[in-house]
């Protein structure tokens, strides 16, 4: 079996390919129309569109140089199929930026790097830390991505001496950030759905996306809606017993009335049954007033989720029972209510406040 890193060089993540029941994509010959229906530098859709192709047929060969060139607001970057191995920063002054994977299949267009929290910085000033490990960091408001894979292929097995094993695929901080048909691949801390500040209640929307990982692999303080998404928990060879990890670790600010909402989604696993918890609250040292919030509703929870004790506590003094965790109308073996006290359920009237519209307000990416 190829490692995630070797498979990603062939435009796919090994873990995701196996999880989805499809083989890792093979390298493909150069296509005469690398940007598909989105035009080309010679047939530009409009003056605000830039084309990126690692083979040199676009305006840029790497994503960061295209972001740097996309000054102002409302620019679009069309990415030709390929593996873009680099880190990318979308700063706050690149508002309303859109990234599009030209083929329409996110497995074809991969932005990937391999920093971990414990990776030493080249200048000797220390290690990257969790935030610094991100392959892609989005600070701009109004960011949109379609049909792109964001990945971090750092592996614990290659670095057994590391204690900082967080390795973020993408950190999203901007308000009104939307992702459609995207993939997020990693292990620990894959998708960091966050905000620019404690007082900034960044709204994010993920539709028809795929996320995989093991420890706290969807985490942060954003107001985030995950709609019809697929979450996949991975097996681990470094642990001999459960639990292997947690799917969600929200750190919602106490003043924020909306945290994470998961709806019409599914959770599957490559690990043994009941080896994963659904969530645990993250109350970071930088915000001891955090009041993590997660609602999972109308979703299918596979056998990989521990139905008896689906929630855990990350830090003493902040038990999950004191947080804003709830479920509603979930199905599947991981959703069985065997110990009612361990499965807080919304009433029908309470559930009416937990919708995409209620969480996202006047921003309507879901319509």
């Amino acid at each position: 079996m190829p490692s995630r890193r070797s498979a990603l060089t062939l435009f796919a993540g090994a873990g995701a390919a196996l999880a989805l029941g499809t083989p890792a994509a093979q390298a493909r010959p150069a296509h005469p129309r690398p940007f598909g229906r989105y035009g080309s530098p010679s047939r530009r859709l409009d003056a605000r569109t830039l084309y990126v192709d690692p083979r040199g047929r676009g305006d840029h060969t790497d994503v960061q140089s295209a972001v740097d060139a996309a000054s102002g607001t409302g620019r679009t970057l069309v990415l030709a199929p390929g593996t873009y191995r680099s880190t990318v920063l979308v700063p706050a002054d690149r508002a309303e930026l859109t990234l599009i994977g030209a083929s329409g299949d996110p497995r074809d267009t991969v932005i990937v790097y391999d920093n971990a929290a414990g990776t030493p910085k080249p200048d000797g000033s220390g290690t990257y830390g969790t935030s610094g490990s991100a392959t892609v960091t989005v600070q701009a408001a109004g960011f949109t991505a379609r049909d792109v894979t964001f990945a971090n292929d750092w592996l614990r097995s290659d670095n057994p001496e590391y204690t900082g094993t967080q390795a973020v695929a993408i950190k999203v901080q901007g308000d009104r950030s939307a992702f459609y048909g995207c993939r997020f691949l990693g292990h620990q801390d894959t998708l960091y759905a966050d905000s620019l500040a404690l007082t900034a209640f960044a709204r994010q929307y993920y539709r028809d996306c795929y996320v995989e990982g093991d420890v706290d692999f969807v985490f942060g303080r954003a107001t985030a809606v995950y709609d019809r998404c697929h979450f996949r928990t991975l097996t681990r060879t470094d642990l001999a017993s459960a639990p292997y990890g947690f799917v969600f670790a929200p750190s919602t600010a106490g003043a924020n009335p909306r945290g994470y909402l998961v709806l019409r989604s599914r959770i599957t696993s490559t690990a043994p049954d009941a080896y994963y918890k659904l969530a645990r609250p993250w109350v970071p040292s930088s915000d001891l007033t955090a009041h993590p919030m997660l609602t999972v509703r109308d979703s299918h929870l596979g056998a990989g989720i521990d139905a008896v004790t689906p929630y855990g506590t990350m830090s003493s003094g902040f038990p999950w029972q004191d947080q804003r965790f709830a479920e509603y109308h979930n199905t599947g073996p991981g959703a069985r209510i065997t110990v009612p006290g361990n499965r807080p359920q919304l009433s029908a009237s309470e559930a009416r406040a937990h919708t995409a519209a209620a969480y996202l307000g006047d921003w309507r990416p879901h319509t």
Side-chain angles (χ1 to χ4, degrees):
M1 179 189 302
S3 70
R4 175 182 282 112
R5 181 169 300 144
S6 64
L8 276 169
T9 64
L10 301 178
F11 311 132
L18 291 173
L20 293 172
T22 58
Q26 297 300 309
R28 300 172 185 177
H31 194 279
R33 296 182 60 206
F35 305 107
R37 62 188 177 91
Y38 296 102
S40 68
S42 61
R43 300 179 62 191
R44 204 175 297 274
L45 291 185
D46 57 59
R48 305 189 69 77
T49 299
L50 295 174
Y51 297 90
V52 188
D53 177 29
R55 299 175 183 266
R57 295 165 294 178
D59 301 302
H60 301 271
T61 58
D62 66 279
V63 179
Q64 187 63 63
S65 66
V67 171
D68 294 344
S71 58
T73 62
R75 303 296 293 269
T76 297
L77 307 184
V78 180
L79 311 184
T83 298
Y84 299 86
R85 177 165 285 277
S86 68
T87 58
V88 176
L89 170 64
V90 181
D93 62 0
R94 296 302 192 265
E96 313 300 331
L97 182 71
T98 297
L99 262 61
I100 298 174
S103 77
D105 186 337
R107 293 172 297 181
D108 292 338
T109 305
V110 180
I111 305 174
V112 59
Y113 208 68
D114 60 352
N115 284 330
T119 301
K121 294 180 180 179
D123 62 5
S125 61
T127 58
Y128 282 103
T130 300
S131 291
S133 74
T135 297
V136 175
T137 301
V138 178
Q139 299 172 340
F143 178 84
T144 300
R146 297 180 183 274
D147 304 320
V148 176
T149 292
F150 302 91
N152 189 318
D153 62 358
W154 184 88
L155 299 172
R156 295 187 190 95
S157 57
D158 291 348
N159 302 275
E161 75 282 6
Y162 277 42
T163 56
T165 56
Q166 300 88 346
V168 177
I170 188 169
K171 180 175 183 178
V172 187
Q173 298 177 284
D175 186 35
R176 295 179 293 103
S177 298
F179 296 82
Y180 301 93
C182 290
R183 296 162 81 232
F184 306 91
L185 310 182
H187 286 276
Q188 184 172 354
D189 292 5
T190 304
L191 172 54
Y192 195 170
D194 205 50
S195 69
L196 286 169
L198 289 176
T199 56
F201 302 159
R203 295 165 295 175
Q204 301 172 16
Y205 181 69
Y206 301 81
R207 174 70 176 262
D208 297 319
C209 291
Y210 171 86
V211 193
E212 69 171 30
D214 48 40
V215 179
D216 305 331
F217 63 94
V218 182
F219 74 113
R221 64 174 175 243
T223 294
V225 175
Y226 306 93
D227 189 359
R228 295 177 180 169
C229 291
H230 179 188
F231 303 92
R232 185 74 157 174
T233 61
L234 303 177
T235 194
R236 295 182 63 175
T237 59
D238 58 319
L239 294 179
S241 60
Y244 277 176
F246 305 79
V247 181
F248 303 100
S251 59
T252 320
N256 190 349
R258 299 286 184 265
Y260 285 1
L261 173 64
V262 180
L263 71 159
R264 298 179 291 190
S265 295
R266 61 187 171 123
I267 300 175
T268 62
S269 184
T270 64
D273 291 356
Y275 265 51
Y276 274 88
K277 308 288 188 184
L278 184 59
R280 62 178 177 176
W282 177 31
V283 179
S285 59
S286 59
D287 180 22
L288 296 179
T289 66
H291 194 192
M293 181 178 184
L294 167 71
T295 298
V296 181
R297 60 171 299 173
D298 303 302
S299 296
H300 184 88
L301 311 185
I305 298 298
D306 179 357
V308 178
T309 55
Y311 301 103
T313 293
M314 185 181 297
S315 304
S316 61
F318 303 98
W320 74 263
Q321 293 90 341
D322 292 346
Q323 312 310 323
R324 295 177 284 179
F325 284 4
E327 301 177 50
Y328 182 72
H329 278 192
N330 294 319
T331 60
R336 287 196 313 269
I337 302 175
T338 58
V339 181
N342 290 343
R343 308 301 298 251
Q345 302 290 311
L346 296 174
S347 66
S349 61
E350 290 171 333
R352 286 195 284 271
H354 296 266
T355 64
Y359 275 56
L360 302 178
D362 60 358
W363 180 48
R364 310 285 290 181
H366 50 289
T367 57

